[in-house]
Structure formats: C-alpha cells, structure tokens
Amino acid sequence: GIISLISLAVLSYERCCTMTRTAEADTTNYRKTWTGIVLSWTYSLLWTLPPLFGWSSYGPEGPGITCSVNWHSKDANNTSYIICLFIFCLVIPFAIIVYSYGKLLCAVRQVSSTHRGPGRGREQRVLVMVVVMVLCFLLCWLPYAAVALLATFGEPGLITPAASIVPAILAKSSTVYNPIIYVFLNKQVSEML
C-alpha cells in the first residue's frame, strides 16, 4: 500500500516536471526513472520496517485474511506510529499529488491562453485526467484511512472485520486505476489503441 501511494506521488511529480519543462525530454536517459523507483521503494521500506523492530506491530486485518499494521492497539507506541504513518505516507503524498497536478494544470492553462484553438481542448483533457486521478486516489485511500483511524482512535469493536473488507480492497486495488485512467484519458495513448 505504501509503495503504491509513494509511486503515485513520484509519478505525479515526474509528470509535472516533464510537462512543464521547456526543453525536450531525453527519452534515452533512464537515470531519473531509476532514481524515482529506488527512492520510492526505499522510502516505503523505511516506513514498513519499524513494526518489525518494536514501533507498533503487524497483525491480522479485517476478517484475518490479510496482514496490516495493528490498528486496534491503543498504546502510545502504536498510536505514534500510526499518526506518523498517516502524515508521511498519506497526507504528504496526497499534497505532492495535488501540488504537481495543480502546477501541471496551471501550465496547460497558461499555454492555452497564449495559443487559442486546440489548446483549449488539451486543457480540458488534462483537467479531466487530473480530477479523475485525484478523485480515484481519494476514493481508494480515504475509506481505508477513515476505517483505520476509527479502529485506532474510536471505541473498541466500532469497526467490525466485515466492515473493513471493502476499504481494504479499494486501497489495495489503487495501483490498477492510475494506468487505466492515463491510457483512456491521454489522447496520444488512446490514438495508438
């Protein structure tokens, strides 16, 4: 889950940098791509290792068919990890996504305001793609975050195992949606199909 969130943030930032760059991108240099991949996995690993060393713990999630952070423990050790996890693995990646897509949208608007005609259609497509990507991100991760926070800070037993299944499935399926959205809403890609 964390690698999915971080990857979406890195992809949005990279897409913003690529689209707002004035020089043509060098498609033969993969160093930046590999750097993004390595940093994403390293950051995610740094946030998934602490429960193995005593800062919180892992345990069965929902009906016991998956493993996740122990959302139900109420001790300070567990609560502090969950708060940090939400800040550094949900709030910050979401802020990066919103910032990157917002900057990209502003750049497209600026270009289309100086070039009348087909630029307006491109601006609309980029706007739709940005809105759909952000909404899918929220649709996938906010229910899971809400259930996890309720399990952590709410009354014991407030979230039943059955109630936690759908948010967990939505969160875990989030890696599928971004490429689909990009393929169907990116005119260059859809013309090739």
Side-chain angles (χ1 to χ4, degrees):
I2 294 173
I3 189 63
S4 169
L5 288 167
I6 302 306
S7 294
L8 288 174
V10 168
L11 285 171
S12 68
Y13 180 74
E14 193 281 326
R15 190 172 298 144
C16 174
C17 291
T18 300
M19 297 292 284
T20 58
R21 189 177 302 130
T22 56
E24 192 170 320
D26 179 11
T27 57
T28 61
N29 185 358
Y30 294 105
R31 191 177 77 192
K32 187 175 172 184
T33 303
W34 281 109
T35 302
I37 292 168
V38 169
L39 287 177
S40 296
W41 280 88
T42 303
Y43 187 86
S44 300
L45 184 64
L46 290 174
W47 282 105
T48 54
L49 286 177
L52 298 176
F53 298 104
W55 189 22
S56 188
S57 62
Y58 288 117
E61 180 180 46
I65 56 175
T66 60
C67 182
S68 184
V69 175
N70 184 358
W71 303 113
H72 300 285
S73 176
K74 304 287 186 196
D75 65 5
N77 181 27
N78 192 59
T79 304
S80 66
Y81 175 73
I82 290 171
I83 290 170
C84 288
L85 194 64
F86 275 94
I87 291 169
F88 291 101
C89 296
L90 181 69
V91 173
I92 291 175
F94 182 67
I96 290 169
I97 289 169
V98 169
Y99 169 78
S100 298
Y101 285 145
K103 188 174 176 183
L104 177 62
L105 186 59
C106 288
V108 170
R109 277 196 173 151
Q110 187 177 26
V111 168
S112 68
S113 69
T114 59
H115 299 91
R116 298 285 179 215
R120 185 62 70 189
R122 187 166 111 188
E123 176 187 340
Q124 293 297 326
R125 280 192 308 276
V126 171
L127 174 62
V128 168
M129 187 171 65
V130 166
V131 168
V132 169
M133 284 183 169
V134 170
L135 287 176
C136 280
F137 179 91
L138 291 173
L139 177 71
C140 289
W141 286 103
L142 281 185
Y144 186 76
V147 166
L149 285 175
L150 283 172
T152 301
F153 298 108
E155 294 295 318
L158 181 64
I159 302 297
T160 65
S164 67
I165 292 173
V166 172
I169 290 172
L170 274 174
K172 288 169 178 45
S173 68
S174 69
T175 56
V176 174
Y177 304 128
N178 211 20
I180 291 171
I181 292 165
Y182 188 72
V183 165
F184 287 108
L185 294 179
N186 186 332
K187 188 176 179 182
Q188 293 169 329
V189 174
S190 61
E191 285 175 355
M192 292 187 317
L193 298 175

